[in-house]
């Protein structure tokens, strides 16, 4: 499986020696209007193809330290992850690779590309904190299989009432977008825990509550009822804000601690980073076949 991933990376990069075996790819599909400005489009074709290649992985993520409910006597928190069935690394030239999204409380995630050494949070405030982590594809789309997500609550010096999700309620974790983007579409992605499948909720009648996610981009809102990434167009140059909120089937907010999150992002056209080129379809797929 590790070999299969490296092969996939070669396919996406479109190395110079591919000659007539190279096929350029871009973004396909019609736009679906979600608000007066924002539209949903299909993922770029190269991402669709690479995603299929990575379907062989079912990553299993665990948090070895800190332990659940552990009280630490230091504001320097060392976190050790264990990952199975997914290679974790960053390609030095591309700046991309399969990794972990690590969320402390409700801060923007940290990307972790090396699990051989502990990841350290410094100057963590005294009190209770929750750590959430999930496996991510190189373009920052989360794996959503069973076991790809882990969570633990710990305490620095002492316990408080802060940052403690209610285990009896659904929990929404904001993932993307964050930071700066150099091309559209921009992917919106999130993680759900304790939320039933829509099909299960619909068949159960009123026994299992259904859910929705309200998304707001620069003040314009729309509601989605599926757990999958959205590829959005309609961002303005410069600063944009994105908000996601977990709703029940009546459209009311579900008041768990992290279920309403807002992030500020920056959109710039003509970005030179690998992800921007990937989204714009400027990379090629090379039909290279290598034996292991």
């Amino acid at each position: 499986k590790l070999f299969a991933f490296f092969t996939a990376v070669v396919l996406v990069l479109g190395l110079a020696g591919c000659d007539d075996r190279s096929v350029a790819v871009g973004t396909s599909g019609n736009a679906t209007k979600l608000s007066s400005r924002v539209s949903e489009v299909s993922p770029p074709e190269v991402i669709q193809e690479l995603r299929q290649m990575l379907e062989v992985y079912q990553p299993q993520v665990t948090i070895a330290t800190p332990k659940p409910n552990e009280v630490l006597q230091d504001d320097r928190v060392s976190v050790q992850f264990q990952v199975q069935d997914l290679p974790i690394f960053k390609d030095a030239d591309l700046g991309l690779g399969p990794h972990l999204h690590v969320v402390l409380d409700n801060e923007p995630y940290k990307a972790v590309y090396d699990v051989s050494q502990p990841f350290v949070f410094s100057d963590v405030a005294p009190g209770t904190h929750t750590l959430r982590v999930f496996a991510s594809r190189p373009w920052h789309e989360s794996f959503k299989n069973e076991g790809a997500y882990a969570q633990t609550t710990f305490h620095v010096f002492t316990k408080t009432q802060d940052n403690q999700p209610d285990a009896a309620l659904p929990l929404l974790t904001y993932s993307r977008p964050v930071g700066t983007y150099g091309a559209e579409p921009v992917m919106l992605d999130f993680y759900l825990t304790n939320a039933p499948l829509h099909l299960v909720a619909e068949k159960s009648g009123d026994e299992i509550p259904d859910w929705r996610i309200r998304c707001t981009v620069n003040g314009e809102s729309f509601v989605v009822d599926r757990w999958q990434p959205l590829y959005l167009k309609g961002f303005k140059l410069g600063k944009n804000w994105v908000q996601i909120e977990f709703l029940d089937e009546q459209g009311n907010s579900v008041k768990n601690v992290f279920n309403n999150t807002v992030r500020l992002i920056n959109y710039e056209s003509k970005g030179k980073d690998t992800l921007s080129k990937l989204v714009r379809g400027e990379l090629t797929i090379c039909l290279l076949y290598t034996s292991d």
Side-chain angles (χ1 to χ4, degrees):
K1 290 184 178 179
L2 180 61
F3 167 78
F5 176 78
F6 280 109
T7 302
V9 171
V10 172
L11 289 170
V12 169
L13 288 185
L15 300 179
C18 292
D19 301 325
D20 58 352
R21 294 171 294 176
S22 300
V23 181
V25 295
T27 302
S28 65
N30 297 323
T32 300
K33 206 75 171 177
L34 299 176
S35 67
S36 63
R37 184 177 178 87
V38 178
S39 298
E40 181 184 5
V41 299
S42 299
E45 291 180 12
V46 67
I47 288 180
Q48 294 184 49
E49 295 189 19
L50 181 56
R51 192 181 191 280
Q52 291 179 359
M53 296 174 187
L54 295 182
E55 287 299 315
V56 297
Y57 295 104
Q58 296 288 302
Q60 303 296 300
V61 179
T62 56
I63 302 171
T65 61
K67 301 295 185 182
N69 212 33
E70 183 177 0
V71 180
L72 306 175
Q73 299 303 315
D74 195 344
D75 64 355
R76 184 178 183 272
V77 179
S78 179
V79 185
Q80 185 70 61
F81 303 105
Q82 295 174 345
V83 181
Q84 296 179 341
D85 200 20
L86 184 69
I88 300 294
F89 70 95
K90 178 190 283 188
D91 183 274
D93 296 324
L94 299 173
L96 296 178
H99 58 284
L100 301 179
H101 283 195
V102 181
V103 181
L104 179 62
D105 300 330
N106 209 28
E107 294 299 311
Y109 74 83
K110 305 291 187 182
V112 173
Y113 291 88
D114 182 5
V115 295
S116 64
Q117 301 294 327
F119 183 82
V120 176
F121 289 95
S122 301
D123 302 319
V124 178
T128 297
H129 300 275
T130 292
L131 189 70
R132 294 172 283 172
V133 57
F134 48 88
S136 174
R137 296 170 175 86
W139 56 95
H140 302 287
E141 178 190 339
S142 59
F143 283 88
K144 298 175 176 63
N145 60 278
E146 187 73 24
Y149 171 96
Q151 174 184 322
T152 191
T153 296
F154 63 94
H155 318 279
V156 174
F157 297 112
T158 187
K159 299 179 181 181
T160 61
Q161 299 301 312
D162 306 310
N163 303 314
Q164 297 191 61
D166 187 337
L169 294 176
L171 181 62
L172 174 64
T173 301
Y174 186 113
S175 182
R176 300 279 287 188
V178 295
T180 297
Y181 290 80
E184 288 187 312
V186 171
M187 184 187 70
L188 186 151
D189 195 28
F190 52 88
Y191 213 95
L192 287 178
T193 44
N194 292 343
L197 296 173
H198 281 299
L199 183 61
V200 174
E202 290 171 357
K203 288 185 176 180
S204 70
D206 295 330
E207 296 179 10
I208 300 177
D210 206 351
W211 56 268
R212 301 289 185 272
I213 303 297
R214 178 160 57 212
C215 308
T216 305
V217 178
N218 295 328
E220 295 189 355
S221 297
F222 53 92
V223 175
V224 298
D225 62 358
R226 62 192 190 275
W227 185 23
Q228 64 185 54
L230 303 178
Y231 284 82
L232 304 178
K233 285 189 173 182
F235 290 85
K236 61 184 180 181
L237 291 175
K239 294 180 179 180
N240 297 259
W241 61 273
V242 180
Q243 180 180 20
I244 60 172
E245 183 179 5
F246 192 97
L247 308 177
D248 63 20
E249 55 191 338
Q250 283 79 40
N252 302 313
S253 298
V254 176
K255 303 296 184 181
N256 210 353
V257 65
F258 304 134
N259 277 355
N260 191 340
T261 302
V262 184
R263 296 279 186 259
L264 188 66
I265 70 168
N266 189 51
Y267 175 62
E268 303 170 352
S269 62
K270 301 180 181 179
K272 302 300 183 183
D273 60 289
T274 302
L275 184 58
S276 295
K277 295 177 181 178
L278 191 70
V279 168
R280 286 197 299 267
E282 294 175 357
L283 301 182
T284 58
I285 292 180
C286 295
L287 303 179
L288 297 182
Y289 297 95
T290 309
S291 64
D292 54 355

